[in-house]
Structure formats: structure tokens, C-alpha cells
Amino acid sequence: MDSHSFAQPSLSPTDFFNGLELAPPVPGPRSYKSRKYRPCDLCRQRQVACKIDVGPPCSLCASHGRQCTFVERPKKKRRPNVSSSNGEGSGVSGKLRKVFCISRATMLTSIPSLAAIQQYDVTAAQLSPGFITQYNEEQSFNGLNGHNGMGVDPDSSPNQLHHMGQNEDASPIHYMDPYLQMMQGGTRIRPLDSQAARCARFIGETGESNPYLLRHYRYDENDECTISKLTYRRIKSTSNQNAMPGEKGEPPVVFMLADDSMAQKGEPRVEEDVLAKHRSDINNMFTEQEALRLIGLFFRFVYPYFPILSKSEIFINGQISSSVLHTLPMSLLTAMYATALPFMLYDDLLATTIVHSPPSTHQLFRMSWIAVTQELHTPRLATLQACLLLLQRAPTNRYTTDTPWKTSLVGWTVSLAQILGLTKECSDWTSIPTWEMTLRKRLWYGVFIMDKWASLGAGMPSHIRSDDFDVLPLTDSDLEQPNLDPNSNGISSFLDPEADCTHFRLLSELTMILSDIMDSYYSLRATQRTSKDFTLSLDLARSLRSRLKMWNDSLPPALALRQPDRLDSRGLARLSGNPSLSLAYIVATMTLFRALLRPLENLTTVEEEDHGIVGSRSAVRAGARECAKEVVEFVENLGRGALDAFWHSWSRANFAIASSFLMQLLVTSESEAEQAEINDLLSRWRWAMRIGSGNTGNGLMSLGLLRLDGLLLENGTMQPATG
């Protein structure tokens, strides 16, 4: 296959505002003559061809010394009615009832007889993953040229457009806006993140826009109002709608829909020719089939453990539409490629095509970051998703920690989540589709998880306070099942039928406990209170230790701490990313014991003679040794199927934390027997990490091994590691 088989470049969120159009997903009956750019305002006004070589300005604007803008919308054209001349296959009085969810370019090239219909102009809109469902090739074109039109299926997915209206003469009205979704009761609604050329920003309580003031303005049928060229969208919720007269409802939730054109001069930004070159480079890296298979690998090996995308909007009946290559912005698409590349050996095609000279993951991540810096002025959910995948990137040097840039990126990501309003509980909102509500919740917990574990590994304060969000804990209904269509064989090689969708929910619950541990012991003031007060530290630990035990006891058998390699029906090892969850539990327990060990070194003579404190002291050290033994046995039992699976990026720091914990127990040993026990654990730990991080390993444990060897050498206890 020609490496240029998909000609249009990957698109950033602002590309459709600037005019890039979609290539048709299937060939039409006549040759397709695509315009690479939509006309600028001047060329549209003069009705002349808009010639742009690389980026704006066009030749006409350049000759007149004018700025090339794309602010004005195309003039509205009359939408003629189309009556059916063929009643076969409709079953409704000979009238065809079809829902067309395809772009204007696709419709006009593939169905010439319907060319007169004025469809939604995708050239004037920015597309999000929510549009992919409507753009799907098979759903859009199957049967449209024959007698069996695509009718309204009462059992069809609520994520697909199926609203059907009629005018006075009973002719069907076709709704071409790809952003309109269906809610229960037949209400048409726009996803918040799919506004044409506008990004949604949450209106906070103390800003210059007062949500309590905005609630008194008049809103149209789309729950929007415009004040001084700024559009606001209110969010309705069941809690406010069900409030009785005289009762106080929840505080109003309002978003400002800011037009992308308002941020055209925002700095810092990237030159358009740089972005255009990167799109071209990405286009040349993979064939269309290779690109789709990489996305499939992402959903097979990464998504079950980090579900920060809406799979239902990308997979249609178990199949990936090629439109995903055009609708996902460059920042997110390249980050997905880079994250999936380590798993290319598990795809039969990729293992023979790109394995010999694979694209550089460093280059892909760099392209993603460059695109993100441009999008930060007009952020969408896709911008946040790209940042989360950038945070999942492994360090370029397996023997060093992350640079301070990683901590800064965590702060940027948390700030983006706050700007996008992800800190608000949205399960009772009635103004956005269900898929968007569940995606927003998963995204928030993706940010929350990344912030807490990255902060733990870096030894830095968290960017998130518990008082600054009210998102309810995740439930199974907030997660998408591993396989959307069990009867579909379209992507049997992509989706793991045994992928565990509870991993992410359990991880979020564990992270909540870790967050409370850090707040109780490791904030600046909490450290001052607890590091010298053993009794206070014990009191705080009782409930936290109980919660950790309850969490561990609630694990299903497939996620148990001690288990051999998972095997498939043929007895072959199956890759599973669940061990990173087990390691996270052990490290969270270690973090609690580290806090309890601190005041033991600061006990006064009177406290050391207190029999109650002596007994508690022995119990704490016994529990710490048991935790150390647990992590050693965990690593010793890791199989190849676990080491080669997806691990969260902060897992690397967790191995180093475990090494530090073992050394702390060694240097504070209170008896020769305890010292001998810890020395034995250290020897086993060191050997297990050498096996796991050697030349054939993946570098997960390299940092932890280096830290351990350095500490042993400094302590004068370095011994040969043996099997």
C-alpha cells in the first residue's frame, strides 16, 4: 500500500476553523476534486478561488496586504425538501425515513442525486471524536444507493443521530449537524466539547463573569445566550429541575463558549508552517492500515487500564472508522501512536512492516507537545487527553528520574481540567449526552490519578485539593466494556476479550486513599505535626490502614496480588497490565509505614520506656517488614506477560520507592535478627530487579536497581547478587 494512501493530514482542533476539509472516506461515482482550504473571508466575499500554498495568507490577501481571516460563516442557503419517489424498504406510507450522518463532501461525491441538499458545512466547524460516529463509512453509505435506505432503528445507539422531523408536506427533514445528539424523550442536544470553532470554558464563582448573574439572562432553545459577543451556555441538572418552589437548588453551572478567532494572537504559539510540516511528516510515517492498527493496539493494550477516550465514539459495531485519522487532532493522534508503538510486535502486519525501522517515539511525542502548545489557547478535551498520554511517556533515560518539566506538565494538565470544568460532578446534567458525561468523569480521575502518583514519586506537593472538586467516585456504569459488540469479528485481533475494565475504577479508589495518606502525613504542616508525634501518627493511621485492607479484600480473583501469568486458551501467556495496580497498593501501604517510621527516630527517653509505645513500635516495624516481604515476592513472581504489558508511567518511581523503603528498614534495624532478615530480602529484591531490568527487560526497574546499588555501596553492605 502506498504510504500516502490517506492524503489529508491529521487535524488539530483549530484546523477546521482555518478551513481544512475532510477527504471522502469512500470513492464516489465521479472523481473527487478536493479544496485543501475553505475560502478566506475576502475570497468568499469576492467569490474567487482562495489559493494558499502552505499557510495563510492566501495570494489575494497577500497582494492586498490584508490579514487572511476565516471568521465569517458561509451564507445560509435554502434547504430544499426532498420527497421520495420510491417507497420500497421504508414501510411508512411510501416515505423514506433516513438519517444522514455524513459530511457534505462525502454526500455530494457519493450520492449525486442528493447533491441539491444543503448539508452541514464541516469546513466551518471543528470536529471532535464525537463526530466520528456520524462519519463512519459503513454506517453512512450502506444501502444508500439501493432500495433499502438506512431507516430509523428504534434500537439504535443513543450516540448516533436518529432524530427525524417532517415539514408540513410530510417531506423528511434531514438534520446534518453532526453535533446534535439524542437524549431520552427526543430532545436534541449538542455535546459541550463539540462546538464549531468554539471551546467551552467553565465559569468560576469569583471571575469577572458571575454565574449567579448569568442565570438571570434569557437563553435560547440551545441553552445559550450571547452578551457582548460572548456566548454562554447554561447546564441544566436534575437537582435544580426537581427543586420545589422555595427550595434552594445547586449553584448554577455555566460555560463560556469562546470563539477560536479570539485567541489567534495568543502567545506563545507555533507557526502554521511548522504544524503543516509535522502533519505531513506524520502522514508519511504510516499507511492508513498501519495507522488504524496502531490505534487498535492502543485500545487493546492501553485503554483497559487508562480509559481516557470514548471508545463508543471511535468504534462503530466493533470497527474503527478511517475517519478517526482525520477527526482526531494531531496532538492526540500522535500521542496515541507513540503510546502504542511498543506493542507493535503483537500485530501481525506491523511486526513485518514497520518493525525494522519503526518511527521514533521521541519524535512523535515531540510533535504531540508542539501541537498541544498551540491548542492551549483554545483547549478541548482532546488537548487534555494528549497531555495525559504525554505524562504516561517513559523517561528517555532509564537510569534517571523525570526532569522538572514532568511536574510542570502535571500542573498544566490539572489547570486544563479545571478550565474545562471537569472538577464538577456531571452525572445529573441533562444538557449533555451520556457518553460525554462518563468521559468527563473518567478524564477527571485520569488527571487525579496522574497528579497524586506523580507527586508521590517526585516528592512534590499535589496540585489538587480535596475541597476543589465534587466528582463522585467512579462506578462500573462510568466505564465502557472491553468489547462494544460481542458479536462483531471486525477487530478480533485488536480487542482483548478478557481485558478487565475494573482496573481503572479500583485504581481511582486506591488513589483516593493515597491522597488522604499524603494529606494526613506529607503536606508541609502535616509533616511538622506527625514527624515528632508517634501517638498522633498511630491515631491517623488506623482508619487509613483499615481502608487499604478493605480495598485489597475487595479485589476480584483476576486482580489478586499473588497470581501466576495469565494464560489464554492455548496456554500462552497473556499480557496483563494489572500488576501495576498491585504495585501501587504495596507502595501506598509503604507510604503509610514510612510516615509511621519517622517519629520512631524522635522518641524521647520517657516515651521509649512507655510500655504502650514499645508495643506499638514493635507492631509498626513488624508491619513494615511484612510490607517489604510482600513487594519482594511480588517482583519475584512477575512473568514476561506482566513485564511486557502496559505499566503506568509512575510505576517506575514506585520500584525506586520500594528500594528506598528496604534500605530504610536495614539502616534502622533494632536487632541482629531483624538486620539479617532485611539483608536477605534486599538480596532477593536486588536479584529480582536485575532479572526484570536487564538487557532483555523494559527498564521498569532500572532506576530502582540503580538507587539500591548506590545506597548499598554507600552503606558498605554491597554483596554479590546471586540467584
Side-chain angles (χ1 to χ4, degrees):
M1 181 181 293
D2 183 7
S3 63
H4 304 276
S5 58
F6 56 106
Q8 291 294 332
S10 172
L11 304 179
S12 70
T14 56
D15 282 340
F16 275 88
F17 170 75
N18 288 332
L20 289 178
E21 294 184 343
L22 296 177
V26 295
R30 62 178 175 82
S31 60
Y32 179 77
K33 298 180 180 180
S34 174
R35 296 172 298 166
K36 187 176 182 181
Y37 296 93
R38 76 171 249 210
C40 69
D41 297 336
L42 180 62
C43 292
R44 183 185 297 278
Q45 180 182 2
R46 299 195 177 189
Q47 297 183 350
V48 297
C50 188
K51 298 179 180 179
I52 302 177
D53 296 329
V54 177
C58 66
S59 57
L60 181 61
C61 291
S63 63
H64 286 74
R66 291 186 46 162
Q67 183 181 4
C68 205
T69 61
F70 299 83
V71 178
E72 297 180 5
R73 295 289 188 86
K75 293 182 179 180
K76 293 184 178 180
K77 298 181 181 179
R78 205 174 158 187
R79 190 176 291 179
N81 296 324
V82 179
S83 59
S84 172
S85 59
N86 190 345
E88 297 180 29
S90 65
V92 186
S93 303
K95 299 291 184 182
L96 292 178
R97 298 197 173 205
K98 303 177 182 179
V99 178
F100 297 99
C101 303
I102 53 180
S103 71
R104 177 181 183 181
T106 301
M107 173 73 84
L108 295 181
T109 56
S110 301
I111 316 169
S113 61
L114 298 180
I117 298 179
Q118 177 63 34
Q119 287 84 23
Y120 185 82
D121 187 1
V122 298
T123 65
Q126 171 266 332
L127 302 186
S128 75
F131 176 68
I132 297 175
T133 300
Q134 294 84 15
Y135 190 79
N136 177 261
E137 298 172 13
E138 184 171 335
Q139 293 291 331
S140 300
F141 294 94
N142 185 22
L144 284 181
N145 291 325
H147 295 296
N148 295 323
M150 185 170 60
V152 178
D153 184 356
D155 298 324
S156 59
S157 168
N159 290 332
Q160 302 179 26
L161 281 175
H162 55 274
H163 181 69
M164 174 65 191
Q166 286 185 305
N167 60 5
E168 295 180 355
D169 61 358
S171 297
I173 300 176
H174 308 287
Y175 293 97
M176 295 304 160
D177 191 334
Y179 305 114
L180 294 181
Q181 303 288 322
M182 284 297 296
M183 298 291 282
Q184 293 181 354
T187 305
R188 299 164 63 221
I189 191 169
R190 290 176 182 267
L192 188 61
D193 190 51
S194 298
Q195 292 292 309
R198 296 187 297 182
C199 62
R201 307 176 191 175
F202 179 71
I203 300 296
E205 293 279 342
T206 61
E208 47 87 14
S209 296
N210 186 342
Y212 282 91
L213 174 62
L214 292 171
R215 76 191 307 180
H216 295 287
Y217 284 85
R218 291 185 179 181
Y219 291 82
D220 60 20
E221 65 277 6
N222 294 321
D223 288 322
E224 296 179 2
C225 73
T226 301
I227 306 172
S228 299
K229 297 184 179 180
L230 290 177
T231 300
Y232 298 90
R233 178 171 172 182
R234 66 180 176 185
I235 300 296
K236 296 179 180 178
S237 63
T238 55
S239 59
N240 281 328
Q241 291 175 346
N242 296 333
M244 299 297 292
E247 291 184 345
K248 297 179 180 179
E250 294 292 329
V253 178
V254 182
F255 286 82
M256 180 178 70
L257 304 179
D259 198 290
D260 291 350
S261 62
M262 300 175 65
Q264 280 186 332
K265 296 182 180 180
E267 295 292 344
R269 64 189 309 107
V270 183
E271 296 297 332
E272 181 59 34
D273 58 342
V274 175
L275 293 174
K277 182 181 184 303
H278 285 326
R279 294 188 194 105
S280 177
D281 291 343
I282 296 170
N283 214 25
N284 294 329
M285 285 183 183
F286 311 104
T287 65
E288 179 177 294
Q289 189 176 12
E290 290 169 348
L292 292 175
R293 283 179 174 265
L294 276 174
I295 295 174
L297 287 176
F298 176 89
F299 278 94
R300 179 183 177 188
F301 292 107
V302 180
Y303 179 85
Y305 314 108
F306 203 53
I308 60 167
L309 280 81
S310 179
K311 188 194 298 182
S312 63
E313 298 300 303
I314 294 180
F315 287 84
I316 310 301
N317 295 328
Q319 293 182 338
I320 307 176
S321 169
S322 61
S323 60
V324 70
L325 304 177
H326 309 286
T327 53
L328 289 182
M330 182 172 68
S331 59
L332 179 57
L333 194 61
T334 50
M336 291 174 66
Y337 288 157
T339 308
L341 267 178
F343 304 101
M344 61 185 172
L345 288 177
Y346 300 99
D347 181 274
D348 293 340
L349 174 68
L350 300 180
T352 58
T353 56
I354 66 174
V355 69
H356 299 293
S357 57
S360 169
T361 56
H362 304 320
Q363 183 183 5
L364 286 169
F365 276 124
R366 178 174 293 182
M367 291 177 177
S368 177
W369 170 245
I370 290 175
V372 164
T373 59
Q374 186 82 333
E375 296 173 22
L376 288 175
H377 299 291
T378 56
R380 265 78 169 181
L381 293 183
T383 310
L384 181 69
Q385 292 163 336
C387 287
L388 287 173
L389 292 184
L390 284 169
L391 288 170
Q392 286 286 13
R393 177 188 182 182
T396 54
N397 190 328
R398 60 192 287 179
Y399 296 106
T400 61
T401 57
D402 292 307
T403 67
W405 177 85
K406 185 80 168 281
T407 303
S408 299
L409 181 57
V410 173
W412 284 35
T413 306
V414 172
S415 179
L416 272 179
Q418 294 167 341
I419 291 170
L420 296 171
L422 298 182
T423 54
K424 292 291 296 182
E425 169 58 34
C426 62
S427 59
D428 65 340
W429 291 2
T430 59
S431 300
I432 63 174
T434 302
W435 70 263
E436 192 176 17
M437 285 189 284
T438 57
L439 175 61
R440 291 176 67 88
K441 288 191 67 174
R442 294 197 306 272
L443 273 175
W444 167 250
Y445 276 104
V447 173
F448 181 80
I449 290 167
M450 187 60 68
D451 171 74
K452 297 301 179 180
W453 288 100
S455 299
L456 176 73
M460 291 289 107
S462 167
H463 298 83
I464 298 175
R465 298 187 306 171
S466 58
D467 290 340
D468 288 335
F469 69 95
D470 65 354
V471 183
L472 295 176
L474 285 173
T475 64
D476 289 338
S477 62
D478 297 319
L479 304 169
E480 297 176 304
Q481 295 301 314
N483 196 338
L484 295 178
D485 185 2
N487 301 318
S488 173
N489 297 319
I491 50 172
S492 57
S493 62
F494 282 173
L495 293 180
D496 185 351
E498 297 183 16
D500 200 336
C501 65
T502 62
H503 174 107
F504 190 68
R505 176 180 60 79
L506 291 167
L507 178 58
S508 68
E509 295 172 359
L510 178 63
T511 308
M512 291 293 292
I513 303 175
L514 175 69
S515 177
D516 290 341
I517 292 174
M518 296 173 68
D519 289 343
S520 299
Y521 294 101
Y522 292 100
S523 70
L524 186 62
R525 295 189 177 182
T527 298
Q528 295 171 349
R529 290 193 302 269
T530 60
S531 62
K532 298 178 182 180
D533 193 333
F534 183 59
T535 302
L536 175 61
S537 296
L538 279 178
D539 291 341
L540 294 174
R542 290 188 177 93
S543 62
L544 294 169
R545 188 74 183 97
S546 176
R547 289 169 62 190
L548 283 170
K549 184 178 184 302
M550 290 176 59
W551 181 91
N552 189 41
D553 292 342
S554 70
L555 293 178
L559 276 75
L561 193 60
R562 295 182 180 90
Q563 59 174 313
D565 268 353
R566 295 180 62 187
L567 305 178
D568 62 12
S569 58
R570 299 165 294 178
L572 302 177
R574 184 185 298 281
L575 268 65
S576 172
N578 288 325
S580 65
L581 180 63
S582 301
L583 177 63
Y585 163 73
I586 298 174
V587 170
T589 306
M590 280 183 180
T591 304
L592 180 58
F593 275 109
R594 285 174 67 180
L596 294 175
L597 290 173
R598 290 184 313 195
L600 292 182
E601 299 184 32
N602 297 316
L603 292 178
T604 65
T605 304
V606 175
E607 289 174 325
E608 288 180 345
E609 295 176 355
D610 188 309
H611 293 291
I613 290 182
V614 170
S616 299
R617 177 176 186 163
S618 299
V620 167
R621 293 200 63 87
R625 291 195 302 273
E626 185 63 28
C627 186
K629 181 181 178 181
E630 196 170 44
V631 75
V632 171
E633 293 178 348
F634 165 76
V635 176
E636 287 178 335
N637 293 328
L638 283 179
R640 193 78 259 166
L643 289 174
D644 288 343
F646 171 78
W647 288 71
H648 296 282
S649 59
W650 33 262
S651 299
R652 190 168 170 273
N654 283 353
F655 282 108
I657 289 173
S659 291
S660 175
F661 183 74
L662 283 163
M663 280 302 303
Q664 182 182 3
L665 291 180
L666 177 65
V667 300
T668 59
S669 298
E670 297 182 341
S671 65
E672 291 185 1
E674 184 181 15
Q675 185 178 18
E677 180 183 358
I678 301 302
N679 261 323
D680 179 63
L681 288 175
L682 272 169
S683 179
R684 291 167 56 188
W685 173 253
R686 187 173 167 219
W687 178 253
M689 284 203 298
R690 284 194 169 181
I691 295 298
S693 66
N695 291 332
T696 59
N698 58 6
L700 266 174
M701 308 176 200
S702 300
L703 180 63
L705 179 61
L706 179 67
R707 291 289 184 266
L708 179 63
D709 286 343
L711 291 170
L712 288 171
L713 182 63
E714 181 68 21
N715 194 53
T717 56
M718 180 75 77
Q719 297 178 0
T722 58

